[in-house]
Amino acid sequence: MVAELGQFVLVLALITAICQGVLPLVGAHYQNMALMKLADNASFVQFAALTGAFICLTIGYVTSDFSILNVASNSHSLKPLLYKISGVWGNHEGSLLLWVWILALFGFAVALFGRNLPDSLKARVLAIQGLIGVGFLLFVLFTSNPFERLSPAPFDGNGLNPLLQDPGLAFHPPFLYLGYVGLSVTFSFAIAALIEGKVDPAWARWVRPWTLAAWAFLTIGIALGSWWAYYELGWGGWWFWDPVENASFMPWLAATALLHSAIVVEKRDTLKNWTILLAIIAFSLSLLGTFLVRSGVLNSVHAFASDPARGVFILMFLIFVIGGSLVLYAVRAPAMKGGGLFAPISREGALVLNNLLLSTAAATVLLGTLYPIFLDAFTGEKVSVGPPYFNATFLPLAVPLVIAMAFGPFLPWKRADLGSALSRLKFALFAALIVLGLTWWLQTDGPLLAMVGMGLFAWLLIGSLIEWTDRIKLFRAPLSSSWRRMVNLPRSAHGMTVAHIGVALVVLGITASEAWQSERLGIMKPGETVIVGGYDFRFEGAEQITGPNYNALRGTFTASSGSGAGYQMFPEQRVYTDPPMMTTEAAIRPMLTADLYVVIGDEDGTGGYATRIYHKPFISWIWLGCLTMFFGGFLSLSDRRLRLGAPKKRQLEIKGEKAPNQI
């Protein structure tokens, strides 16, 4: 019964999405208020229907209803409850249902929080959201139905992919989809603006909160996926430039550019066409990621499906959405002229440079991701584009981007003096040179890029802190005055500083872990000790253990540095039976300065075991930095959500002081 109910509400959601996608557009064209208001109610009904469908599928998983094909294919009665629930979206059909549910969630959120939007713009935005929902609901119902029955029902299910039976993968897809699908709102705003032929600072203020939300969720989603790959796959790395990793990274780059471009539209009423194009590109790249994961054109541990029919459907939808939006852009964009002029050395100029570097970076990643696919399709030749290409093309763009991040906030709008900004950043430059020199002194054999990376970390960290202290006039005014300025400073300003500090921490983690990692791969017998990264790793032995739904070989290692008690570490090699698969569970000892990382493999037949031991300096700072960026994004969002309407002048209760610059 639960499957039939889920199927019914899915059909109801499709009918509602069609009404939401068509009638409000007609109402906005003819200024029919009743039809325009229908968009709000339709978005609520669609969200409620898809919530019901998602609950029905979840009930099927929790109760192990193996008469549902999707449950039988991806669950098992012995699975822990957490993985029964995460199994709902740990497969192609269920993840698509999660996608359309989040799409409806964002549509409902626009209807709920967009009370200050003009009626015609709001109706068009919700209509575009509805049309996107129509495409995905058709895909779900006709090619990827999660409620398809299986008769006769098996006694038990096949089980979820063991690689996905992990807490990191339980939370990674929802956050990632919140980012992917959140970009649909910015896309809908862009298409609605093209239809109306109007982009102004108010439009940019309405777009920025949705861009911030999508960017923040995408940041934490990518970080969770990277963290999972680090500790679950057992290869010791955190990023491999896998095509599906790239598919999430490209819309993040585009969303970052869009976020900064919208600032220029809001503050200076310029870069309108470019901002609209970025909104289209960002969502198009998220759709491209959907195509790559579900079309079968590539093999990846992240890929969901390999059904060509599904791939053709997504490709047609992709062409329709991207092609249609670009045609509309080509027709309508020339009529929207930018406003204010600005000098190359200015806040606007710095943000334009930011956009150029981010867009070029996204283009290089896109080329490296799609080139093997196109070459295979047209010539049959198999090639692999791996880390050497991406490192050689992406890093030269990342270096000036980090340098510009510290400069930009010091530059005033319209026209600026570069010398003045440099003088205010002299302490950041001094700190960067000191850190670079210390790195060279302590690591004389270290690579040049590592020294540059450490210098960039100090430059951006200190530069961001200087900019923040400059806003509140710390040490240049009485502490009470600085405190009042800090309290009255917009949260978006605090959020920008926090997010930039997060980027600095990521730079530190990437640089140190990649440049100065120590490793030892080889056979070890019980009682043997090896030294890696200044730590003694003693192999105590291995034993067979039994888990909830797996058997495992567990090793025991003692890691000590000679200055205290040792750390017990227990890496495992697990063997699952439903479905049959072997996985590696690394033992990790995270610390502020380094991670200790141990993996155990097969026995060699003589009492020894294959082992991999790593010492990874500062690698945890990569994810700490991502969390900091996420927090910075939502700190900014907490300010912007209260300012969706017409801007209001801030009044500081500080005698004789002007309000600090806002960004």
Side-chain angles (χ1 to χ4, degrees), residues 522-526 528 539 553 601-611:
I523 302 297
M524 292 185 68
K525 293 184 178 181
E528 289 187 351
F539 179 38
L553 173 71
D602 296 329
E603 185 181 5
D604 68 348
T606 64
Y609 294 85
T611 60

Side-chain angles (χ1 to χ4, degrees), residues 375-399:
L375 190 66
D376 183 24
F378 289 109
T379 69
E381 184 179 352
K382 303 286 186 181
V383 298
S384 176
V385 177
Y389 162 81
F390 293 104
N391 292 337
T393 57
F394 186 82
L395 289 180
L397 296 169
V399 171

Side-chain angles (χ1 to χ4, degrees), residues 480-541:
S480 59
S481 174
S482 296
W483 173 260
R484 286 195 297 270
R485 291 184 65 88
M486 184 186 71
V487 171
N488 287 290
L489 196 66
R491 290 182 185 176
S492 58
H494 292 299
M496 180 200 69
T497 301
V498 171
H500 284 188
I501 289 174
V503 175
L505 298 181
V506 171
V507 172
L508 169 65
I510 292 174
T511 302
S513 62
E514 293 296 312
W516 299 299
Q517 170 182 292
S518 302
E519 59 183 289
R520 195 271 187 187
L521 286 70
I523 302 297
M524 292 185 68
K525 293 184 178 181
E528 289 187 351
T529 300
V530 297
I531 301 176
V532 181
Y535 282 81
D536 295 332
F537 290 85
R538 177 182 171 84
F539 179 38
E540 308 291 353

Side-chain angles (χ1 to χ4, degrees), residues 56-271:
C56 287
L57 187 60
T58 303
I59 291 173
Y61 269 85
V62 171
T63 60
S64 295
D65 185 354
F66 299 121
S67 66
I68 302 175
L69 176 60
N70 183 261
V71 179
S73 301
N74 300 285
S75 188
H76 193 277
S77 59
L78 297 180
K79 271 200 320 181
L81 178 61
L82 173 64
Y83 302 135
K84 287 184 177 181
I85 296 174
S86 65
V88 175
W89 55 79
N91 59 88
H92 170 72
E93 293 82 3
S95 65
L96 268 178
L97 183 59
L98 175 65
W99 178 289
V100 294
W101 179 78
I102 293 176
L103 184 68
L105 171 65
F106 273 102
F108 177 57
V110 171
L112 187 62
F113 297 111
R115 297 187 181 94
N116 292 322
L117 291 171
D119 291 325
S120 59
L121 178 64
K122 183 180 180 182
R124 289 186 170 108
V125 169
L126 290 175
I128 302 302
Q129 287 288 111
L131 291 176
I132 296 171
V134 170
F136 275 100
L137 283 167
L138 288 173
F139 183 43
V140 170
L141 285 168
F142 291 102
T143 72
S144 311
N145 193 334
F147 296 107
E148 184 178 344
R149 284 291 192 182
L150 180 63
S151 182
F155 176 75
D156 217 329
N158 294 330
L160 180 66
N161 184 337
L163 288 175
L164 305 181
Q165 296 184 36
D166 180 87
L169 259 291
F171 302 105
H172 161 62
F175 278 111
L176 195 64
Y177 287 1
L178 283 167
Y180 270 152
V181 184
L183 292 174
S184 68
V185 179
T186 62
F187 173 83
S188 297
F189 268 98
I191 299 302
L194 287 174
I195 294 173
E196 292 194 345
K198 181 182 178 182
V199 175
D200 56 16
W203 176 88
R205 284 192 296 274
W206 291 319
V207 166
R208 278 189 69 191
W210 303 105
T211 310
L212 261 174
W215 177 87
F217 282 127
L218 200 52
T219 299
I220 199 66
I222 293 172
L224 284 171
S226 168
W227 181 54
W228 167 80
Y230 169 66
Y231 72 80
E232 177 67 23
L233 299 183
W235 60 291
W238 57 275
W239 191 265
F240 193 65
W241 295 105
D242 179 277
V244 180
E245 291 175 339
N246 297 344
S248 62
F249 190 44
M250 288 185 291
W252 184 88
L253 291 170
T256 306
L258 172 61
L259 188 59
H260 292 82
S261 182
I263 296 172
V264 182
V265 179
E266 178 183 352
K267 300 297 183 182
R268 295 287 296 142
D269 196 25
T270 189
L271 296 186

